[in-house]
Short mmCIF file of all heavy atoms in Angstrom, two decimals:
data_model
loop_
_atom_site.label_atom_id
_atom_site.label_comp_id
_atom_site.label_asym_id
_atom_site.label_seq_id
_atom_site.Cartn_x
_atom_site.Cartn_y
_atom_site.Cartn_z
N MET A 1 0.84 -1.20 0.00
CA MET A 1 0.00 0.00 0.00
C MET A 1 0.88 1.26 0.00
O MET A 1 1.78 1.38 0.82
CB MET A 1 -0.88 -0.02 1.25
CG MET A 1 -1.90 1.10 1.28
SD MET A 1 -2.81 1.16 2.84
CE MET A 1 -4.22 0.14 2.46
N SER A 2 0.65 2.16 -0.91
CA SER A 2 1.47 3.36 -0.97
C SER A 2 1.00 4.37 0.07
O SER A 2 -0.09 4.25 0.64
CB SER A 2 1.37 4.00 -2.35
OG SER A 2 0.15 4.69 -2.48
N MET A 3 1.82 5.39 0.30
CA MET A 3 1.46 6.43 1.26
C MET A 3 0.15 7.10 0.85
O MET A 3 -0.61 7.57 1.68
CB MET A 3 2.57 7.48 1.34
CG MET A 3 3.78 7.05 2.13
SD MET A 3 3.42 6.90 3.89
CE MET A 3 3.48 8.61 4.39
N HIS A 4 -0.11 7.14 -0.46
CA HIS A 4 -1.30 7.83 -0.93
C HIS A 4 -2.59 7.09 -0.57
O HIS A 4 -3.65 7.70 -0.48
CB HIS A 4 -1.20 8.05 -2.43
CG HIS A 4 -1.07 9.48 -2.79
ND1 HIS A 4 0.06 10.19 -2.52
CD2 HIS A 4 -1.94 10.34 -3.35
CE1 HIS A 4 -0.12 11.44 -2.92
NE2 HIS A 4 -1.32 11.56 -3.42
N ASP A 5 -2.51 5.78 -0.42
CA ASP A 5 -3.71 5.01 -0.09
C ASP A 5 -3.94 4.94 1.41
O ASP A 5 -4.94 4.38 1.85
CB ASP A 5 -3.56 3.59 -0.64
CG ASP A 5 -3.37 3.59 -2.15
OD1 ASP A 5 -3.99 4.44 -2.81
OD2 ASP A 5 -2.58 2.76 -2.64
N GLU A 6 -3.00 5.48 2.13
CA GLU A 6 -3.06 5.41 3.58
C GLU A 6 -4.37 5.98 4.11
O GLU A 6 -4.79 7.07 3.72
CB GLU A 6 -1.90 6.24 4.12
CG GLU A 6 -1.49 5.90 5.52
CD GLU A 6 -0.31 6.77 5.91
OE1 GLU A 6 0.78 6.52 5.38
OE2 GLU A 6 -0.51 7.69 6.70
N HIS A 7 -4.98 5.26 5.02
CA HIS A 7 -6.22 5.73 5.62
C HIS A 7 -5.91 6.90 6.54
O HIS A 7 -5.06 6.79 7.41
CB HIS A 7 -6.84 4.58 6.43
CG HIS A 7 -8.27 4.79 6.73
ND1 HIS A 7 -9.26 4.72 5.78
CD2 HIS A 7 -8.90 5.07 7.89
CE1 HIS A 7 -10.42 4.96 6.34
NE2 HIS A 7 -10.23 5.18 7.62
N PRO A 8 -6.57 8.05 6.33
CA PRO A 8 -6.24 9.21 7.16
C PRO A 8 -6.70 9.02 8.60
O PRO A 8 -7.72 8.39 8.87
CB PRO A 8 -6.99 10.37 6.50
CG PRO A 8 -7.94 9.78 5.55
CD PRO A 8 -7.57 8.36 5.31
N THR A 9 -5.94 9.58 9.51
CA THR A 9 -6.33 9.56 10.92
C THR A 9 -6.28 10.98 11.46
O THR A 9 -5.47 11.80 11.00
CB THR A 9 -5.38 8.68 11.76
OG1 THR A 9 -4.06 9.22 11.72
CG2 THR A 9 -5.36 7.25 11.27
N ILE A 10 -7.15 11.27 12.42
CA ILE A 10 -7.17 12.57 13.08
C ILE A 10 -6.96 12.33 14.56
O ILE A 10 -7.72 11.58 15.19
CB ILE A 10 -8.50 13.31 12.84
CG1 ILE A 10 -8.72 13.51 11.34
CG2 ILE A 10 -8.49 14.65 13.57
CD1 ILE A 10 -10.07 14.13 11.00
N THR A 11 -5.91 12.92 15.09
CA THR A 11 -5.60 12.75 16.51
C THR A 11 -5.80 14.08 17.23
O THR A 11 -5.20 15.09 16.86
CB THR A 11 -4.14 12.29 16.68
OG1 THR A 11 -3.94 11.09 15.92
CG2 THR A 11 -3.83 12.02 18.16
N ALA A 12 -6.64 14.08 18.25
CA ALA A 12 -6.87 15.29 19.05
C ALA A 12 -5.71 15.43 20.03
O ALA A 12 -5.58 14.65 20.96
CB ALA A 12 -8.20 15.17 19.79
N TYR A 13 -4.87 16.42 19.76
CA TYR A 13 -3.69 16.61 20.59
C TYR A 13 -4.09 17.37 21.85
O TYR A 13 -4.72 18.42 21.77
CB TYR A 13 -2.64 17.40 19.79
CG TYR A 13 -1.27 17.36 20.39
CD1 TYR A 13 -0.43 16.28 20.19
CD2 TYR A 13 -0.82 18.43 21.17
CE1 TYR A 13 0.82 16.24 20.75
CE2 TYR A 13 0.44 18.40 21.74
CZ TYR A 13 1.26 17.30 21.52
OH TYR A 13 2.50 17.27 22.08
N PRO A 14 -3.72 16.84 23.04
CA PRO A 14 -4.12 17.50 24.28
C PRO A 14 -3.66 18.97 24.32
O PRO A 14 -2.50 19.25 24.03
CB PRO A 14 -3.40 16.69 25.36
CG PRO A 14 -3.16 15.35 24.74
CD PRO A 14 -2.94 15.61 23.28
N ASP A 15 -4.57 19.86 24.65
CA ASP A 15 -4.28 21.29 24.76
C ASP A 15 -3.72 21.88 23.47
O ASP A 15 -3.00 22.89 23.51
CB ASP A 15 -3.30 21.57 25.91
CG ASP A 15 -3.82 21.07 27.25
OD1 ASP A 15 -5.05 20.94 27.39
OD2 ASP A 15 -2.99 20.80 28.13
N GLY A 16 -4.02 21.25 22.36
CA GLY A 16 -3.47 21.74 21.09
C GLY A 16 -4.34 21.39 19.91
O GLY A 16 -5.55 21.23 20.04
N PRO A 17 -3.70 21.26 18.74
CA PRO A 17 -4.43 21.12 17.49
C PRO A 17 -4.94 19.70 17.22
O PRO A 17 -4.70 18.77 18.00
CB PRO A 17 -3.37 21.50 16.45
CG PRO A 17 -2.09 21.04 17.06
CD PRO A 17 -2.23 21.28 18.55
N LEU A 18 -5.61 19.56 16.11
CA LEU A 18 -5.99 18.25 15.59
C LEU A 18 -4.92 17.86 14.57
O LEU A 18 -4.70 18.58 13.59
CB LEU A 18 -7.36 18.31 14.90
CG LEU A 18 -8.52 18.75 15.79
CD1 LEU A 18 -9.79 18.88 14.94
CD2 LEU A 18 -8.74 17.76 16.92
N LEU A 19 -4.25 16.76 14.83
CA LEU A 19 -3.20 16.30 13.92
C LEU A 19 -3.81 15.35 12.91
O LEU A 19 -4.38 14.32 13.28
CB LEU A 19 -2.10 15.58 14.70
CG LEU A 19 -1.27 16.44 15.64
CD1 LEU A 19 -0.17 15.59 16.26
CD2 LEU A 19 -0.69 17.64 14.93
N VAL A 20 -3.71 15.71 11.63
CA VAL A 20 -4.28 14.91 10.56
C VAL A 20 -3.15 14.25 9.79
O VAL A 20 -2.27 14.94 9.26
CB VAL A 20 -5.11 15.79 9.61
CG1 VAL A 20 -5.75 14.93 8.52
CG2 VAL A 20 -6.17 16.56 10.38
N ARG A 21 -3.19 12.93 9.76
CA ARG A 21 -2.16 12.18 9.05
C ARG A 21 -2.79 11.40 7.91
O ARG A 21 -3.86 10.83 8.08
CB ARG A 21 -1.47 11.19 9.99
CG ARG A 21 -0.66 11.85 11.09
CD ARG A 21 0.07 10.80 11.91
NE ARG A 21 0.82 11.39 13.01
CZ ARG A 21 0.31 11.62 14.21
NH1 ARG A 21 -0.94 11.31 14.49
NH2 ARG A 21 1.05 12.18 15.14
N GLY A 22 -2.10 11.37 6.79
CA GLY A 22 -2.60 10.63 5.64
C GLY A 22 -3.16 11.56 4.58
O GLY A 22 -3.17 12.78 4.74
N ALA A 23 -3.60 10.98 3.50
CA ALA A 23 -4.09 11.76 2.37
C ALA A 23 -5.50 12.27 2.64
O ALA A 23 -6.42 11.49 2.84
CB ALA A 23 -4.08 10.89 1.11
N ILE A 24 -5.66 13.59 2.65
CA ILE A 24 -6.98 14.18 2.83
C ILE A 24 -7.19 15.24 1.76
O ILE A 24 -6.24 15.73 1.14
CB ILE A 24 -7.15 14.83 4.22
CG1 ILE A 24 -6.08 15.91 4.45
CG2 ILE A 24 -7.12 13.78 5.31
CD1 ILE A 24 -6.42 16.83 5.59
N ASP A 25 -8.45 15.60 1.56
CA ASP A 25 -8.82 16.65 0.61
C ASP A 25 -9.23 17.85 1.45
O ASP A 25 -10.37 17.95 1.90
CB ASP A 25 -9.98 16.14 -0.25
CG ASP A 25 -10.37 17.14 -1.32
OD1 ASP A 25 -9.68 18.16 -1.48
OD2 ASP A 25 -11.38 16.89 -1.99
N LEU A 26 -8.28 18.76 1.68
CA LEU A 26 -8.51 19.90 2.56
C LEU A 26 -8.99 21.09 1.74
O LEU A 26 -8.36 21.49 0.76
CB LEU A 26 -7.20 20.23 3.29
CG LEU A 26 -7.24 21.30 4.38
CD1 LEU A 26 -8.18 20.88 5.51
CD2 LEU A 26 -5.84 21.55 4.91
N ARG A 27 -10.13 21.67 2.12
CA ARG A 27 -10.73 22.78 1.37
C ARG A 27 -11.01 23.97 2.28
O ARG A 27 -11.26 23.79 3.48
CB ARG A 27 -12.08 22.33 0.76
CG ARG A 27 -12.01 21.10 -0.12
CD ARG A 27 -11.38 21.43 -1.44
NE ARG A 27 -11.25 20.24 -2.28
CZ ARG A 27 -11.99 20.06 -3.39
NH1 ARG A 27 -12.91 20.91 -3.74
NH2 ARG A 27 -11.80 18.98 -4.11
N ASP A 28 -11.05 25.16 1.68
CA ASP A 28 -11.45 26.33 2.45
C ASP A 28 -12.98 26.45 2.39
O ASP A 28 -13.66 25.59 1.82
CB ASP A 28 -10.74 27.59 1.95
CG ASP A 28 -11.16 28.01 0.55
OD1 ASP A 28 -12.20 27.50 0.05
OD2 ASP A 28 -10.45 28.84 -0.04
N ALA A 29 -13.51 27.52 2.99
CA ALA A 29 -14.96 27.68 3.09
C ALA A 29 -15.63 27.80 1.72
O ALA A 29 -16.83 27.54 1.58
CB ALA A 29 -15.30 28.90 3.94
N ASP A 30 -14.86 28.20 0.70
CA ASP A 30 -15.41 28.32 -0.65
C ASP A 30 -15.23 27.07 -1.48
O ASP A 30 -15.61 27.04 -2.66
CB ASP A 30 -14.76 29.50 -1.37
CG ASP A 30 -15.07 30.83 -0.70
OD1 ASP A 30 -16.22 30.99 -0.23
OD2 ASP A 30 -14.17 31.67 -0.62
N GLY A 31 -14.64 26.06 -0.87
CA GLY A 31 -14.45 24.80 -1.59
C GLY A 31 -13.16 24.71 -2.37
O GLY A 31 -12.94 23.75 -3.10
N ASN A 32 -12.31 25.72 -2.22
CA ASN A 32 -11.02 25.68 -2.92
C ASN A 32 -10.03 24.81 -2.17
O ASN A 32 -9.98 24.85 -0.94
CB ASN A 32 -10.44 27.10 -3.04
CG ASN A 32 -11.38 28.04 -3.77
OD1 ASN A 32 -11.84 27.74 -4.87
ND2 ASN A 32 -11.69 29.15 -3.14
N ALA A 33 -9.26 24.05 -2.94
CA ALA A 33 -8.28 23.17 -2.31
C ALA A 33 -7.21 23.99 -1.60
O ALA A 33 -6.74 25.01 -2.11
CB ALA A 33 -7.64 22.29 -3.37
N ILE A 34 -6.87 23.58 -0.40
CA ILE A 34 -5.79 24.21 0.36
C ILE A 34 -4.56 23.34 0.21
O ILE A 34 -4.59 22.14 0.50
CB ILE A 34 -6.17 24.33 1.86
CG1 ILE A 34 -7.37 25.27 2.00
CG2 ILE A 34 -4.98 24.83 2.67
CD1 ILE A 34 -7.88 25.38 3.43
N GLU A 35 -3.49 23.96 -0.26
CA GLU A 35 -2.26 23.22 -0.49
C GLU A 35 -1.66 22.72 0.82
O GLU A 35 -1.58 23.46 1.81
CB GLU A 35 -1.23 24.12 -1.19
CG GLU A 35 0.01 23.40 -1.60
CD GLU A 35 1.13 24.36 -2.00
OE1 GLU A 35 0.83 25.52 -2.28
OE2 GLU A 35 2.29 23.91 -2.03
N GLN A 36 -1.26 21.46 0.82
CA GLN A 36 -0.60 20.88 1.98
C GLN A 36 0.85 20.60 1.61
O GLN A 36 1.12 19.95 0.61
CB GLN A 36 -1.26 19.56 2.37
CG GLN A 36 -2.68 19.72 2.86
CD GLN A 36 -3.33 18.36 2.97
OE1 GLN A 36 -4.30 18.09 2.30
NE2 GLN A 36 -2.75 17.50 3.79
N ARG A 37 1.73 21.10 2.42
CA ARG A 37 3.14 20.87 2.13
C ARG A 37 3.66 19.63 2.83
O ARG A 37 4.71 19.12 2.50
CB ARG A 37 3.97 22.09 2.56
CG ARG A 37 3.65 23.31 1.73
CD ARG A 37 4.61 24.44 2.00
NE ARG A 37 4.25 25.61 1.18
CZ ARG A 37 3.33 26.47 1.53
NH1 ARG A 37 2.68 26.34 2.65
NH2 ARG A 37 3.04 27.49 0.75
N ARG A 38 2.93 19.15 3.81
CA ARG A 38 3.42 18.00 4.57
C ARG A 38 2.33 16.95 4.68
O ARG A 38 1.15 17.23 4.54
CB ARG A 38 3.83 18.46 5.98
CG ARG A 38 4.82 19.60 5.94
CD ARG A 38 5.16 20.08 7.32
NE ARG A 38 5.79 19.04 8.11
CZ ARG A 38 6.23 19.22 9.34
NH1 ARG A 38 6.06 20.38 9.93
NH2 ARG A 38 6.80 18.26 10.00
N ARG A 39 2.76 15.71 4.95
CA ARG A 39 1.83 14.59 5.07
C ARG A 39 1.03 14.68 6.37
O ARG A 39 -0.06 14.14 6.47
CB ARG A 39 2.59 13.26 5.05
CG ARG A 39 3.35 13.02 3.78
CD ARG A 39 2.50 12.50 2.64
NE ARG A 39 1.61 11.43 3.06
CZ ARG A 39 0.51 11.10 2.40
NH1 ARG A 39 0.18 11.78 1.32
NH2 ARG A 39 -0.22 10.11 2.80
N THR A 40 1.60 15.34 7.35
CA THR A 40 0.90 15.54 8.61
C THR A 40 0.60 17.03 8.75
O THR A 40 1.50 17.85 8.62
CB THR A 40 1.76 15.08 9.80
OG1 THR A 40 2.03 13.69 9.67
CG2 THR A 40 1.02 15.32 11.11
N VAL A 41 -0.67 17.35 8.95
CA VAL A 41 -1.01 18.76 9.15
C VAL A 41 -1.68 18.92 10.51
O VAL A 41 -2.39 18.03 10.98
CB VAL A 41 -1.94 19.31 8.04
CG1 VAL A 41 -1.25 19.30 6.71
CG2 VAL A 41 -3.24 18.54 7.98
N ALA A 42 -1.41 20.05 11.14
CA ALA A 42 -2.02 20.37 12.43
C ALA A 42 -3.07 21.44 12.20
O ALA A 42 -2.75 22.54 11.74
CB ALA A 42 -0.95 20.85 13.41
N LEU A 43 -4.32 21.12 12.49
CA LEU A 43 -5.41 22.06 12.30
C LEU A 43 -5.75 22.72 13.63
O LEU A 43 -6.00 22.05 14.63
CB LEU A 43 -6.64 21.34 11.75
CG LEU A 43 -6.46 20.66 10.39
CD1 LEU A 43 -7.77 20.00 9.96
CD2 LEU A 43 -6.01 21.68 9.33
N CYS A 44 -5.78 24.06 13.62
CA CYS A 44 -6.05 24.84 14.84
C CYS A 44 -7.45 24.55 15.36
O CYS A 44 -8.41 24.51 14.61
CB CYS A 44 -5.91 26.33 14.52
SG CYS A 44 -6.38 27.39 15.89
N ARG A 45 -7.55 24.36 16.67
CA ARG A 45 -8.88 24.26 17.27
C ARG A 45 -9.03 25.22 18.43
O ARG A 45 -10.04 25.19 19.13
CB ARG A 45 -9.23 22.82 17.67
CG ARG A 45 -8.38 22.21 18.75
CD ARG A 45 -9.00 20.88 19.17
NE ARG A 45 -8.06 20.10 19.93
CZ ARG A 45 -8.41 19.10 20.73
NH1 ARG A 45 -9.67 18.78 20.84
NH2 ARG A 45 -7.51 18.44 21.38
N CYS A 46 -8.00 26.07 18.66
CA CYS A 46 -8.14 27.07 19.71
C CYS A 46 -8.74 28.36 19.15
O CYS A 46 -9.20 29.19 19.90
CB CYS A 46 -6.78 27.35 20.36
SG CYS A 46 -5.68 28.37 19.37
N GLY A 47 -8.70 28.51 17.82
CA GLY A 47 -9.28 29.69 17.17
C GLY A 47 -8.36 30.89 17.12
O GLY A 47 -8.75 31.95 16.66
N LEU A 48 -7.13 30.76 17.57
CA LEU A 48 -6.24 31.92 17.69
C LEU A 48 -5.12 31.95 16.66
O LEU A 48 -4.36 32.92 16.59
CB LEU A 48 -5.61 31.94 19.09
CG LEU A 48 -6.61 32.03 20.25
CD1 LEU A 48 -5.91 31.81 21.58
CD2 LEU A 48 -7.33 33.37 20.23
N SER A 49 -5.00 30.92 15.85
CA SER A 49 -3.91 30.87 14.89
C SER A 49 -4.02 31.98 13.85
O SER A 49 -5.12 32.35 13.43
CB SER A 49 -3.92 29.51 14.18
OG SER A 49 -2.95 29.51 13.14
N ALA A 50 -2.87 32.50 13.44
CA ALA A 50 -2.83 33.52 12.40
C ALA A 50 -2.76 32.89 11.01
O ALA A 50 -2.83 33.59 10.01
CB ALA A 50 -1.63 34.44 12.60
N ILE A 51 -2.61 31.57 10.97
CA ILE A 51 -2.50 30.88 9.68
C ILE A 51 -3.57 29.80 9.57
O ILE A 51 -3.32 28.71 9.07
CB ILE A 51 -1.09 30.28 9.48
CG1 ILE A 51 -0.73 29.33 10.64
CG2 ILE A 51 -0.05 31.37 9.33
CD1 ILE A 51 0.48 28.44 10.35
N LYS A 52 -4.79 30.11 10.06
CA LYS A 52 -5.88 29.15 9.97
C LYS A 52 -6.06 28.66 8.53
O LYS A 52 -5.91 29.46 7.61
CB LYS A 52 -7.19 29.79 10.45
CG LYS A 52 -7.21 30.14 11.91
CD LYS A 52 -8.63 30.55 12.27
CE LYS A 52 -8.69 31.23 13.63
NZ LYS A 52 -8.26 32.64 13.58
N PRO A 53 -6.42 27.42 8.30
CA PRO A 53 -6.85 26.48 9.33
C PRO A 53 -5.71 25.78 10.07
O PRO A 53 -5.97 24.91 10.88
CB PRO A 53 -7.66 25.45 8.53
CG PRO A 53 -6.94 25.41 7.21
CD PRO A 53 -6.50 26.82 6.96
N PHE A 54 -4.48 26.17 9.78
CA PHE A 54 -3.36 25.47 10.41
C PHE A 54 -3.03 26.06 11.78
O PHE A 54 -3.26 27.24 12.03
CB PHE A 54 -2.12 25.53 9.50
CG PHE A 54 -2.38 24.98 8.13
CD1 PHE A 54 -2.46 25.82 7.04
CD2 PHE A 54 -2.58 23.62 7.96
CE1 PHE A 54 -2.72 25.31 5.77
CE2 PHE A 54 -2.84 23.09 6.70
CZ PHE A 54 -2.91 23.94 5.60
N CYS A 55 -2.49 25.23 12.62
CA CYS A 55 -2.00 25.65 13.94
C CYS A 55 -0.65 26.33 13.77
O CYS A 55 0.20 25.85 13.03
CB CYS A 55 -1.86 24.40 14.81
SG CYS A 55 -0.90 24.63 16.31
N ASP A 56 -0.46 27.47 14.43
CA ASP A 56 0.84 28.14 14.38
C ASP A 56 1.53 28.14 15.75
O ASP A 56 2.52 28.85 15.94
CB ASP A 56 0.72 29.56 13.84
CG ASP A 56 -0.03 30.49 14.77
OD1 ASP A 56 -0.52 30.02 15.83
OD2 ASP A 56 -0.13 31.69 14.46
N GLY A 57 0.97 27.38 16.68
CA GLY A 57 1.60 27.26 18.00
C GLY A 57 1.08 28.25 19.02
O GLY A 57 1.46 28.19 20.20
N THR A 58 0.20 29.17 18.59
CA THR A 58 -0.31 30.20 19.49
C THR A 58 -1.09 29.62 20.67
O THR A 58 -1.17 30.24 21.73
CB THR A 58 -1.21 31.18 18.71
OG1 THR A 58 -0.46 31.78 17.67
CG2 THR A 58 -1.75 32.29 19.61
N HIS A 59 -1.64 28.41 20.49
CA HIS A 59 -2.42 27.80 21.56
C HIS A 59 -1.62 27.69 22.85
O HIS A 59 -2.17 27.76 23.94
CB HIS A 59 -2.92 26.41 21.14
CG HIS A 59 -1.82 25.46 20.81
ND1 HIS A 59 -1.30 25.32 19.55
CD2 HIS A 59 -1.13 24.62 21.61
CE1 HIS A 59 -0.32 24.42 19.56
NE2 HIS A 59 -0.19 23.98 20.81
N LYS A 60 -0.31 27.53 22.71
CA LYS A 60 0.52 27.30 23.89
C LYS A 60 0.64 28.55 24.78
O LYS A 60 0.25 28.50 25.94
CB LYS A 60 1.90 26.79 23.47
CG LYS A 60 2.48 25.83 24.46
CD LYS A 60 3.58 24.99 23.84
CE LYS A 60 3.57 23.59 24.41
NZ LYS A 60 4.36 22.67 23.61
N PRO A 61 1.17 29.68 24.23
CA PRO A 61 1.22 30.88 25.08
C PRO A 61 -0.16 31.36 25.49
O PRO A 61 -0.29 32.03 26.53
CB PRO A 61 1.95 31.91 24.21
CG PRO A 61 1.86 31.40 22.81
CD PRO A 61 1.80 29.90 22.92
N ALA A 62 -1.19 31.03 24.72
CA ALA A 62 -2.54 31.47 25.06
C ALA A 62 -3.13 30.63 26.20
O ALA A 62 -4.15 30.98 26.78
CB ALA A 62 -3.44 31.37 23.84
N GLY A 63 -2.48 29.51 26.52
CA GLY A 63 -2.97 28.68 27.61
C GLY A 63 -4.22 27.89 27.26
O GLY A 63 -5.01 27.55 28.15
N PHE A 64 -4.39 27.58 25.97
CA PHE A 64 -5.56 26.82 25.53
C PHE A 64 -5.60 25.44 26.20
O PHE A 64 -4.60 24.74 26.24
CB PHE A 64 -5.51 26.65 24.01
CG PHE A 64 -6.62 25.81 23.43
CD1 PHE A 64 -7.94 26.22 23.53
CD2 PHE A 64 -6.34 24.62 22.79
CE1 PHE A 64 -8.97 25.43 22.99
CE2 PHE A 64 -7.35 23.84 22.25
CZ PHE A 64 -8.67 24.25 22.36
N ARG A 65 -6.77 25.10 26.76
CA ARG A 65 -6.93 23.81 27.43
C ARG A 65 -8.11 23.06 26.84
O ARG A 65 -9.15 23.64 26.59
CB ARG A 65 -7.17 24.03 28.93
CG ARG A 65 -5.97 24.57 29.69
CD ARG A 65 -4.91 23.52 29.88
NE ARG A 65 -3.70 24.05 30.50
CZ ARG A 65 -2.66 24.52 29.82
NH1 ARG A 65 -2.68 24.56 28.50
NH2 ARG A 65 -1.60 24.96 30.46
N THR A 66 -7.91 21.76 26.64
CA THR A 66 -9.00 20.95 26.11
C THR A 66 -9.68 20.13 27.18
O THR A 66 -10.72 19.52 26.94
CB THR A 66 -8.47 19.99 25.01
OG1 THR A 66 -7.35 19.27 25.51
CG2 THR A 66 -8.07 20.76 23.77
N GLU A 67 -9.11 20.10 28.36
CA GLU A 67 -9.65 19.20 29.39
C GLU A 67 -10.30 19.92 30.56
O GLU A 67 -10.79 19.28 31.48
CB GLU A 67 -8.54 18.28 29.93
CG GLU A 67 -7.90 17.40 28.86
CD GLU A 67 -8.89 16.42 28.25
OE1 GLU A 67 -9.87 16.05 28.94
OE2 GLU A 67 -8.70 16.05 27.08
N ASP A 68 -10.29 21.27 30.57
CA ASP A 68 -10.85 22.00 31.72
C ASP A 68 -12.37 21.91 31.74
O ASP A 68 -13.00 21.95 30.73
CB ASP A 68 -10.43 23.47 31.68
CG ASP A 68 -8.97 23.61 32.10
OD1 ASP A 68 -8.40 22.60 32.55
OD2 ASP A 68 -8.43 24.70 31.97
S1 FES B 101 -4.49 24.95 18.13
FE1 FES B 101 -2.49 25.70 17.82
S2 FES B 101 -2.77 27.77 17.31
FE2 FES B 101 -4.78 27.01 17.65
#
């Protein structure tokens, strides 16, 4: 099985982003394809990233918590 056939997985990272691994079809709100440079992408779920939909690490200094 090639990397392209790999079943995608989404891992909810504690106090951080959603890590998406595998081949996915990522689109913006208008349905346009969003270019992915890496096989693993981190999608922001704290709402504070400056590069949405991707995580830019801002969740950490912001003190974002998923378990409170
Ligand atoms: S989850 Fe990392 S910046 Fe939002």
Side-chain angles (χ1 to χ4, degrees):
M1 186 186 268
S2 77
M3 284 291 281
H4 247 70
D5 301 323
E6 201 178 288
H7 198 70
T9 62
I10 301 175
T11 304
Y13 195 81
D15 302 336
L18 300 175
L19 293 183
V20 182
R21 294 184 182 88
I24 58 164
D25 184 6
L26 187 61
R27 304 286 178 110
D28 67 15
D30 296 322
N32 302 308
I34 296 176
E35 186 193 342
Q36 294 169 242
R37 293 189 181 83
R38 306 177 62 178
R39 299 279 314 158
T40 299
V41 295
L43 299 181
C44 174
R45 64 171 165 160
C46 76
L48 300 171
S49 174
I51 56 166
K52 294 189 193 79
F54 304 108
C55 166
D56 68 356
T58 301
H59 60 270
K60 213 160 215 165
F64 177 64
R65 291 286 175 268
T66 51
E67 300 297 333
D68 285 352

